[in-house]
Amino acid sequence: MRAADADRQAVAERLRAALDEGRLDLHEYDERLQRAYAARTYADLDGLLTDLPPVTPPAASGVAVPPGAAPATQPAAAGPAAQPAGAGPATGWLAQVWLPYLRVVPILVGIWAVTSLMSRDLLYFWPGWVAGPWGVVLLARTISGAAGGEPQRRAEGRKRRRR
């Protein structure tokens, strides 16, 4: 029997889930996905999924937390990627983008201020040549990244790596 576009899409979603679960590597996923969209019959589609287990909904999986039980928490990762409790993916992404700027610019302004005080004259504000263009580039990256969903992709990638 001939397969429909919706059938091909359902197989593609199952293959994507298998990739996320680590059951397929990227190369094999790509090959199977190409074959799924080129499939003409149900037999062609079924052949792509025969070695994969069926999808188990999270509520029916063996790792589901019973009602009333508190889920086990893992300690937060140390380092610059660590996020405060309750922080969303955008907070960690913004910190990663802007923290170097917020660390370097005050040092440059401090150097300028010390040299101005030591010369007893208000010197030309040269840190603006570093802070200005860098800030504009970071602002553009922040706007384009937020509009393009970069914080969510970063959070999904971190979740995938943890698994």
Side-chain angles (χ1 to χ4, degrees):
M1 186 176 273
R2 306 274 286 178
D5 287 339
D7 301 319
R8 291 182 196 90
Q9 188 62 34
V11 169
E13 289 297 321
R14 178 60 193 110
L15 291 172
R16 202 173 349 271
L19 175 69
D20 290 343
E21 293 168 351
R23 298 182 192 281
L24 296 175
D25 63 16
L26 194 55
H27 180 69
E28 187 176 10
Y29 165 73
D30 185 48
E31 286 178 359
R32 288 186 188 205
L33 189 62
Q34 288 176 7
R35 288 183 14 215
Y37 284 118
R40 292 189 176 138
T41 65
Y42 286 118
D44 296 336
L45 291 175
D46 289 340
L48 299 172
L49 302 175
T50 55
D51 62 337
L52 297 174
V55 177
T56 304
S61 79
V63 295
V65 178
T73 58
Q74 296 179 345
Q83 296 180 11
T91 305
W93 177 74
L94 282 173
Q96 182 182 12
V97 171
W98 282 93
L99 275 179
Y101 178 86
L102 295 174
R103 289 179 180 146
V104 170
V105 170
I107 292 171
L108 296 177
V109 172
I111 292 170
W112 169 81
V114 168
T115 56
S116 290
L117 287 173
M118 291 178 70
S119 70
R120 294 185 180 148
D121 190 21
L122 192 60
L123 299 176
Y124 178 75
F125 188 70
W126 57 266
W129 287 102
V130 175
W134 191 9
V136 169
V137 168
L138 288 178
L139 184 61
R141 180 175 178 209
T142 301
I143 292 169
S144 67
E150 193 170 336
Q152 289 78 16
R153 282 195 305 273
R154 178 180 173 266
E156 289 170 2
R158 288 179 67 213
K159 185 188 289 184
R160 194 175 301 125
R161 282 191 300 274
R162 269 190 234 133
R163 278 194 247 152

